[in-house]
Amino acid sequence: MGSAAPAHSWFGPAVLDRELHQLDDPQEFGRLWQGFMTARLTLGLVLMLLQSALYFTGSTHSKVQALASAAYFASTLVSKLWIKPRRLGRSFNPAWGGLVGLDLLVFSLLQLVQDNSGINYTPLFALPILLASVLGSLRLALGTAAGVTVLLLGGTLWTYLHSTIDATTPRFVQAALSGVGYFAIALLANQLASRLASEGQRARRSQLAATVQRQVNELVIESLPDGVLIVDDRGCVRAANPAAQQLLVSQRARQSPVFDLRGEAGWRPLLNLTRLSFGTGRTQEEDVTIRMEGHGPRRVRARTRLAAPLGTDGESLCVLFLQDQRELEARMRTEKLASMGRMSTAVAHEIRNPLAAIAQANALLEEDLEDPRLKQLTAMVHQNTKRLEKIVDDILDVSRVTPHGRGLAAPALALNESVQQICLDWAVQNGSQQRLGTRLPDQALQVRFDTDHLRRVLVNLLDNASRYASQQTGAIQVSSCLQGDRHAAVSVWSDGAPMDQSVERHLFEPFFSSESRSSGLGLFICRELCEGHGASILYQRNVRPVGGQPSEGNEFVISFLRTTTDTPWQTTLY
C-alpha cells in the first residue's frame, strides 16, 4: 500500500525519501532484535533448567537432551552479547543458519530423542518461524515453515519405522496440522511485520514533513515585518516574533521568551483586546497606542484570531497580529508618490509653458524700462522664474526614472571649500555656530557634483542633525576623509539618540517620517541626488569626541567619486 504525501504539505515523498533512508529507524529494529534474542535466551535457560531437573530427579536418563539444552543456552547467550542487529535477508544465508537454523536443529534433536517423559517440543518451532518472518522476507519465512514441516513429518516417519505402537495416522495428521499452522504463522507474522514497517515509515514521513513545515513556519513568522504574539486567556505571552518584540519596546519582551502582558501598563490596550476576543469568541481589530516610559507613543493596528483548543480540556490561545501604523502610512504615501510620478510630467509641462511666457515678457519689458525701481522689480521676476524652473527640474529628477550618473556631467567641484562655505552659511542662518564643528582637510579635493544639489543635501542633513542633537559645543560635526584612491567621503554626525529599528529600516523611503509635520521626502531626495551624481549615502552609529569625552551618535556618510589625484593631507581644524 503506497504512502501518499501528507495533506496540505509542501514536502512529498520525493523530497523526504532521502531523509527516510537515513531514518529507517535502526533503534526500532534493534529493539525487535533484542526482544527475539532475549526470548531465545530465556527459552534456552528454561530448557537447561528443565532438563537438569528431569535428569537429577530421575524422570529421564537422556544426557543428550541436557547437553543440547546447555549448548543452546550458551549459544543464545553468545548471540545476544556479540552478534550485532542485522536483517536475515531474502533467502537462506549464514545469518539464518546461525540463528534460525540452530533453533531448528536443537528443537528437532529434543523432539527426536525424547523418551518416556511425554514432553512435546513441537510448539517451540514457532519461535524460529517468527524470527524468520519478522527479521527476514516472506520467502525466508515460508521456507523456514516448510523446513519445520519436513522435520516434523520426518520425525513422525522415523518414529513409525522404529516403534511397534500402531499410532501412525494420528501422528502424521498432527505433524501435518502443525505444518499448516506454522505456514499460517509465517504468512501472518510477515504480513503484520511488513504492515507495521510501512505504517512506521509513513509515520516517520509525516513526522519529518511536520517538523520541516514547523521550522519553515517559524522562520516565516520570525521574518514577518508584522508582529505576532501568542497569548493565553490569562494574558501570558507564549511566543513573540522579533517584530512584535520591537513594537512592544520593552527589555522584558526582548530578553524573555515568555512574559505577561499585565507586567507593563503600556501593554494594557493589547491585554484588553485579547480579553474581549476571548469573551466574545470573535475576531477583534482596533488601533491602539502603546506608551512606554522613555519612548514615544507607538500607534499599532492590532488584530486577534482565536486558535481552536486541542481536546475537550485544551487551552484556548489567541494570536495577536500587530502592524505599525507608520509602515501603513508609509505604504500609502508610496502609492501616492507613484500616482504623483505619473502626473508630474504633464504638470511640469503645464508649469513650464507659463514660466517661459513670463520670462519672455519680463525680458521684453526690461528692455523698455529706465526707472531703477522698475528694473529692480523685473530683476526679482527674473530671479523667481529661474527659481521656479529649478524647482520643477528637481521634482522631475525625483519623480521620474532617470539614468544614474547623469550628474557626472556636472562641473568639477572643490569639495572641502564648498562644504565649509555651506556649513558656515547654515550655522549663521540657524545660530548654531557653537554647536557645529568642522574638520575638513586643507586639500583641493575635486568631485563632480552640482553645487546647489550639494547644498540641498548638506542643509537637509544639518537640519535633521540640529533637530535631534543636544545643545553642547560640538554636538554636530562635519568632517571629510579619503576612501581609497578614487573616493572621498563627507560625514554629518550628531549626538542624538539612536533611531528605532522600524524607523531605520525605512529611513530613505519616500513619505516616511517619524515627525508628524515632516513630508518624509528629505532623505529620499538626498539619496536620489547622490545616486544621480554617482555618489552614495548611508546611515550608521559612530563615536565622536564631544567635550573631551567619547559620545555615540547618528552619522550620515556621503561617498563621492573623485576626479583627480590629490596631494597628501594637511589636517586643519576650523
Side-chain angles (χ1 to χ4, degrees):
M1 183 176 180
S3 59
H8 306 292
S9 173
W10 295 342
F11 314 102
V15 178
L16 301 177
D17 281 343
R18 295 189 298 272
E19 299 292 339
L20 289 174
H21 178 71
Q22 300 174 357
L23 295 177
D24 200 7
D25 211 346
Q27 294 183 354
E28 181 180 351
F29 179 76
R31 287 193 296 268
L32 283 175
W33 175 276
Q34 294 299 331
F36 276 111
M37 295 303 105
T38 302
R40 294 176 70 243
L41 180 62
T42 304
L43 181 59
L45 178 61
V46 170
L47 288 176
M48 185 180 68
L49 295 177
L50 176 63
Q51 295 301 327
S52 299
L54 291 176
Y55 182 78
F56 287 112
T57 58
S59 299
T60 179
H61 301 286
S62 175
K63 295 182 180 180
V64 176
Q65 290 182 334
L67 293 176
S69 299
Y72 180 70
F73 172 73
S75 65
T76 55
L77 181 62
V78 170
S79 64
K80 179 175 176 58
L81 296 178
W82 297 103
I83 299 180
K84 296 181 179 180
R86 53 184 297 184
R87 295 193 179 276
L88 298 182
R90 303 181 60 86
S91 59
F92 300 103
N93 51 50
W96 178 91
L99 296 176
V100 180
L102 178 63
D103 290 1
L104 296 180
L105 178 62
V106 173
F107 299 157
S108 300
L109 181 62
L110 294 176
Q111 181 69 17
L112 183 63
V113 300
Q114 65 175 337
D115 49 12
N116 56 359
S117 61
I119 300 178
N120 186 7
Y121 297 96
T122 303
L124 299 181
F125 288 106
L127 179 60
I129 292 176
L130 287 175
L131 183 62
S133 301
V134 175
L135 301 183
S137 63
L138 179 61
R139 181 188 303 175
L140 187 63
L142 295 178
T144 303
V148 171
T149 303
V150 170
L151 289 175
L152 292 177
L153 293 175
T156 303
L157 180 60
W158 175 269
T159 303
Y160 168 74
L161 296 177
H162 295 81
S163 177
T164 58
I165 301 176
D166 189 12
T168 305
T169 302
R171 290 187 176 183
F172 275 106
V173 171
Q174 181 181 358
L177 289 177
S178 298
V180 172
Y182 290 144
F183 271 103
I185 291 175
L187 180 61
L188 292 177
N190 183 266
Q191 292 298 315
L192 288 175
S194 300
R195 180 60 181 270
L196 289 176
S198 176
E199 291 296 332
Q201 188 180 37
R202 184 181 304 174
R204 289 192 296 274
R205 177 182 286 116
S206 299
Q207 183 179 7
L208 181 61
T211 301
V212 175
Q213 198 156 4
R214 176 179 57 82
Q215 294 174 351
V216 171
N217 291 340
E218 291 177 354
L219 180 62
V220 171
I221 292 175
E222 287 182 0
S223 60
L224 282 176
D226 298 338
V228 179
L229 297 176
I230 309 298
V231 188
D232 60 18
D233 52 1
R234 298 184 300 274
C236 181
V237 177
R238 300 294 185 83
N241 68 340
Q245 295 174 355
Q246 294 292 336
L247 290 174
L248 293 179
V249 290
S250 173
Q251 291 296 330
R252 180 180 304 179
R254 298 177 183 178
Q255 295 176 355
S256 176
V258 178
F259 53 93
D260 198 336
L261 287 178
R262 296 171 294 183
E264 297 284 352
W267 298 341
R268 182 66 60 177
L270 300 178
L271 179 62
N272 295 335
L273 192 64
T274 56
R275 287 177 175 175
L276 180 62
S277 185
F278 280 122
T280 60
R282 298 179 180 178
T283 297
Q284 303 293 328
E285 185 172 356
E286 185 178 343
D287 292 339
V288 300
T289 302
I290 300 176
R291 292 182 172 87
M292 303 295 291
E293 185 177 355
H295 299 272
R298 181 69 57 85
R299 295 184 297 112
V300 176
R301 174 166 295 178
R303 180 168 52 91
T304 64
R305 290 289 298 273
L306 292 178
L310 298 177
T312 56
D313 299 330
E315 186 179 16
S316 297
L317 295 176
C318 177
V319 183
L320 187 61
F321 299 93
L322 306 178
Q323 194 170 26
D324 195 344
Q325 288 287 68
R326 290 178 300 181
E327 295 191 1
L328 289 177
E329 294 171 357
R331 294 173 188 173
M332 296 175 61
R333 289 172 178 174
T334 303
E335 294 176 359
K336 291 180 181 179
L337 177 66
S339 301
M340 291 172 59
R342 290 190 292 267
M343 297 176 58
S344 60
T345 302
V347 173
H349 283 296
E350 292 296 330
I351 293 177
R352 276 181 170 178
N353 291 334
L355 278 177
I358 293 173
Q360 185 177 6
N362 182 67
L364 294 175
L365 181 62
E366 187 177 11
E367 293 178 358
D368 298 331
L369 293 178
E370 296 181 358
D371 190 343
R373 293 177 299 175
L374 296 179
K375 284 184 173 291
Q376 185 178 3
L377 292 177
T378 57
M380 292 176 58
V381 172
H382 176 74
Q383 181 181 359
N384 283 279
T385 54
K386 291 295 183 181
R387 182 181 177 187
L388 287 175
E389 290 178 359
K390 187 68 168 58
I391 293 174
V392 169
D393 291 338
D394 289 343
I395 292 176
L396 287 176
D397 288 338
V398 172
S399 301
R400 67 191 177 192
V401 179
T402 57
H404 285 175
R406 176 181 175 183
L408 293 177
L413 172 72
L415 181 62
N416 289 328
E417 289 80 356
S418 300
V419 172
Q420 180 67 30
Q421 186 61 45
I422 294 172
C423 291
L424 179 61
D425 295 341
W426 179 86
V428 172
Q429 183 178 359
N430 292 271
S432 300
Q433 292 91 335
Q434 295 296 326
R435 287 201 301 168
L436 178 62
T438 58
R439 183 181 180 275
L440 302 171
D442 187 11
Q443 182 182 9
L445 279 177
Q446 297 292 325
V447 297
R448 293 204 177 273
F449 210 99
D450 184 81
T451 304
D452 291 336
H453 288 173
L454 180 61
R455 179 179 296 274
R456 187 171 182 180
V457 171
L458 289 179
V459 168
N460 190 288
L461 296 179
L462 290 170
D463 287 340
N464 289 340
S466 177
R467 186 179 298 116
Y468 299 104
S470 66
Q471 299 298 322
Q472 299 184 47
T473 302
I476 304 174
Q477 300 180 18
V478 179
S479 61
S480 63
C481 64
L482 286 174
Q483 288 185 334
D485 296 332
R486 301 186 57 191
H487 293 84
V490 172
S491 62
V492 179
W493 181 91
S494 63
D495 61 351
M499 294 184 186
D500 191 273
Q501 290 189 2
S502 61
V503 176
E504 182 181 346
R505 187 164 56 247
H506 305 283
L507 198 58
F508 294 99
E509 293 183 5
F511 296 118
F512 186 86
S513 175
S514 57
E515 296 287 334
S516 59
R517 297 182 179 181
S518 175
S519 65
L521 279 174
L523 291 177
F524 171 71
I525 293 176
C526 289
R527 186 191 66 178
E528 293 296 313
L529 293 177
C530 289
E531 293 181 353
H533 290 78
S536 62
I537 182 172
L538 60 88
Y539 163 79
Q540 63 185 11
R541 292 285 292 176
N542 202 354
V543 177
R544 294 289 181 88
V546 177
Q549 298 293 331
S551 177
E552 189 175 5
N554 301 312
E555 184 177 44
F556 289 88
V557 181
I558 308 172
S559 179
F560 300 91
L561 183 65
R562 295 164 57 193
T563 59
T564 60
T565 302
D566 305 299
T567 58
W569 290 91
Q570 296 178 0
T571 304
T572 303
L573 297 180
Y574 294 89

